[in-house]
Amino acid sequence: MALSVACGAATPSFAGGEVNVYSYRQPELIQPLLDAFTKKTGIETNVLFLDKGLVERIQAEGVNSPADILLTVDIARLVEAKEGGVTQPVLNDPIIEKDIPANLRDPEGEWFGLTTRGRVVYASKERVPQQSITYEELADPKWKGKICIRDGQHSYNIALFASMIAHHGLDYTRTWLTGLKNNLARKPDGTDRSQAKSIYSGECDIALGNTYYVGLMLT
């Protein structure tokens, strides 16, 4: 989860005792954070939630946009917001610089990360004896026909593929993706939880998923 400061509003709402948050994250999930903010500062929060199209909305609103803060849920959307010209470099704050590592802050100060998510390899305890599996190993031919993943165009996977390029280069990642594709048990589809269900049903032995889905499935 990450924050960027939206540009366009002529007068920031927080100057009048409230702040307008445009959020890709459902309001009920961030309400405890907003309540704590209001309790500490006395500033009220107004949340506009959309699961897509917030950048386009701010662009359409232009200088009349009431948005003060854009709350996103993925690095791809951060890039979209910055390249879309809806953020501004005003996050020069000593507390942010002290508490948030530089790799989780935009070099130009237009966004910073609040939380990170762990995207891990799920594996069958019965059929996969290996205790740890790296992203790189997912292309190993020994996993042929054993891997399930969600749509390759999903932002979670795009972020993973981009990280592979950043760490290993384009040629390596192209070969790695070919190996991963060859190891798929089925066409990429579904959600993170459905990948886990596919392991449980025996459709595949290995899948990718965010760690917090485990808690959701346990409850």
Side-chain angles (χ1 to χ4, degrees):
M1 189 164 63
L3 280 176
S4 60
V5 176
C7 60
T11 303
S13 298
F14 53 81
E18 61 181 30
V19 60
N20 296 320
V21 181
Y22 279 31
S23 174
Y24 280 112
R25 180 62 75 194
Q26 295 93 325
E28 62 271 17
L29 298 179
I30 62 173
Q31 196 59 51
L33 173 65
L34 301 179
D35 291 343
F37 170 79
T38 299
K39 182 178 180 180
K40 183 174 182 178
T41 66
I43 299 174
E44 298 293 333
T45 58
N46 307 309
V47 178
L48 170 66
F49 163 69
L50 290 175
D51 60 358
K52 57 183 177 181
L54 277 178
V55 170
E56 291 81 0
R57 175 157 181 156
I58 297 173
Q59 289 172 332
E61 292 170 342
V63 296
N64 295 316
S65 176
D68 296 311
I69 297 293
L70 177 63
L71 180 65
T72 73
V73 294
D74 190 85
I75 185 64
R77 282 176 167 161
L78 281 176
V79 173
E80 176 191 26
K82 184 174 179 180
E83 292 183 348
V86 302
T87 62
Q88 57 182 322
V90 296
L91 298 178
N92 183 17
D93 185 280
I95 296 177
I96 291 175
E97 293 180 359
K98 172 180 175 293
D99 293 344
I100 298 178
N103 65 308
L104 299 179
R105 290 184 275 117
D106 177 51
E108 298 174 356
E110 297 195 21
W111 58 262
F112 62 89
L114 288 174
T115 62
T116 59
R117 56 165 62 99
R119 189 151 186 80
V120 301
V121 177
Y122 291 174
S124 166
K125 292 190 295 184
E126 290 77 20
R127 301 185 300 276
V128 180
Q130 194 167 325
Q131 292 298 306
S132 62
I133 300 171
T134 66
Y135 292 143
E136 289 80 1
E137 287 180 271
L138 296 176
D140 192 314
K142 70 181 179 181
W143 304 123
K144 186 174 180 62
K146 298 183 181 298
I147 299 176
C148 290
I149 63 170
R150 64 193 303 165
D151 185 356
Q153 295 298 313
H154 191 276
S155 58
Y156 293 168
N157 282 331
I158 290 176
L160 171 60
F161 302 158
S163 73
M164 294 295 289
I165 293 173
H167 283 89
H168 299 295
L170 187 59
D171 290 340
Y172 175 96
T173 304
R174 185 181 290 112
T175 301
W176 175 79
L177 280 170
T178 299
L180 174 59
K181 180 181 178 181
N182 291 338
N183 288 341
L184 296 181
R186 55 164 171 75
K187 180 180 178 181
D189 192 26
T191 65
D192 281 16
R193 277 177 279 185
S194 65
Q195 311 310 315
K197 292 177 182 177
S198 293
I199 293 176
Y200 184 78
S201 69
E203 185 177 13
C204 53
D205 292 349
I206 294 172
L208 289 175
N210 292 344
T211 53
Y212 57 77
Y213 286 109
V214 174
L216 292 173
M217 288 184 286
L218 287 174
T219 56

